[in-house]
Each structure stands twice: as C-alpha cells, then as structure tokens.
Amino acid sequence: VLRRIEPAQISGLLAGPSGLATPMPPEQAQALFDRLASQVWLVRRPDPGSAVLEHLPDLRRLMLPPILAEPHGREVARAAAEWFADGPGSSQPGAAWDAKYYAILAGDADLPEDAEQLHDFALHLGAAAGDLPVAMQARLREAQGHVLRSDEITHLQGHARDRAIKHRRETQRTHGLETSVVAEEASFAAPPTE
C-alpha cells in the first residue's frame, strides 16, 4: 500500500497490521527493510544509498486494487493516513497530502473541493495520482488545466464537468475541430457516470 517505505514505517506502521511484534526493535525493522531492498523486481531506491525504498510504480499500480479490496489492505492505508496526519510522519514535507492520499485509498476521504488545493495535491502525487479512482484522476487533471478526453469528462460532475467540457470545446475550436464539438454534444448531454 505504501508508495515509499522506511525502516521506521516498518516498525511503527506496518508491524501491527502485518501481525508482527510491536513494538518492533529497530534492528528487526532494519533487517526487514534490507530484505525488502533486495527484491529489485518489487522496489527501488529513489536515490543511491538512501534509507527509503519505493515500489516500482507500474507493478504497484497492478497490485494495489486487489490489495485494497481486502480489509487488511484498507487497514494499512488507514494506518498510513494516521501516520502522516498525526503520527511520526506528520513532520515530513507533504505529510498532509500523503495523509489525504492514504485516506482516499482507504475509502475514508474525498478530494479537496478547492481548485488550488486539487492542483497542489496533483503536483504532490505526480504519477501516484494514477492510483486513484478514474473519476478522481479526471478531477485532478481538470484542476491542473489539462484538456480532458471525452471518456474522462464522463466521470466528472457539476462545475468540474462544465469547465472540462468548455475547455475541451475551446481547444477543439482553436485547432479547427468544430465537427468534433458537434459530434460530442450528444455524449456530453448524457448524465455523468459514477
């Protein structure tokens, strides 16, 4: 569930939900971290010699939905949200965004409503925004000013949907694609999908 893993997270965040002894001695957390680091098909170090591992994004994106479909996976996501909101991770840069991200993965939160906050959240997540449900991905892309595909727009509602349609139409007209605007009118007239 975690995007980035440190020895302190193994002992303070993952040990309990994983059924390992708590409190976990730092040496045991480091040994587990080192074993995980040797699994190069699963994780990488973002910087050589760093005490942080990150899951390979493409593999994580495949593994995450079935993990989160299980109660245990959502429990880990909740624990991660608490870790970054009120726990030892709360002093890290971007901790509030990480807490929000994991709360969303656990099914306990939604995206911020404010467009500027949505934009900042998307910048913080980077490629990890692709881990979120499709409707949330579309909202984040819309907040960043991207021209959305018509299939992305179908997941939006309210003002976000209206802005995305307007932006798409303006871009199409600017590029001489007026016939595309007319062809899409019927699909955008349908109610949004959930």
Side-chain angles (χ1 to χ4, degrees):
V1 173
L2 298 179
R3 291 185 300 148
R4 299 169 59 91
I5 303 163
E6 304 170 16
Q9 292 172 327
I10 292 173
S11 61
L13 171 60
L14 296 174
S18 299
L20 300 171
T22 57
M24 178 182 283
E27 308 79 40
Q28 184 181 2
Q30 185 64 49
L32 290 170
F33 178 85
D34 293 340
R35 279 184 53 201
L36 180 59
S38 71
Q39 305 302 310
V40 295
W41 61 273
L42 181 62
V43 295
R44 66 180 177 204
R45 291 184 192 268
D47 299 307
S50 74
V52 175
L53 298 173
E54 57 186 22
H55 283 100
L56 298 176
D58 292 341
L59 183 57
R60 182 174 180 272
R61 191 152 295 129
L62 290 173
M63 295 183 332
L64 196 57
I67 290 171
L68 293 173
E70 298 294 324
H72 178 74
R74 292 188 302 279
E75 180 184 340
V76 171
R78 281 186 190 94
E82 291 172 17
W83 173 273
F84 287 106
D86 300 316
S90 63
S91 62
Q92 294 180 2
W97 293 131
D98 286 327
K100 175 65 93 174
Y101 169 78
Y102 289 112
I104 289 170
L105 290 183
D108 298 337
D110 196 4
L111 292 175
E113 291 299 322
D114 179 74
E116 187 175 328
Q117 287 183 352
L118 276 173
H119 181 266
D120 292 347
F121 186 48
L123 289 177
H124 175 77
L125 290 180
D131 301 337
L132 301 176
V134 175
M136 290 186 177
Q137 291 178 43
R139 284 187 58 206
L140 290 171
R141 287 179 41 76
E142 189 274 329
Q144 289 183 287
H146 292 281
V147 177
L148 301 186
R149 299 182 316 265
S150 57
D151 63 303
E152 292 175 308
I153 292 172
T154 62
H155 293 284
L156 297 176
Q157 298 178 2
H159 295 300
R161 181 182 172 91
D162 296 342
R163 281 191 308 269
I165 290 171
K166 181 179 178 187
H167 190 194
R168 182 172 174 80
R169 287 178 179 157
E170 288 171 354
T171 302
Q172 288 170 321
R173 287 185 182 113
T174 301
H175 292 91
L177 301 171
E178 290 84 358
T179 55
S180 295
V181 173
V182 173
E184 288 181 346
E185 287 293 328
S187 68
F188 289 144
T193 59
E194 289 297 319

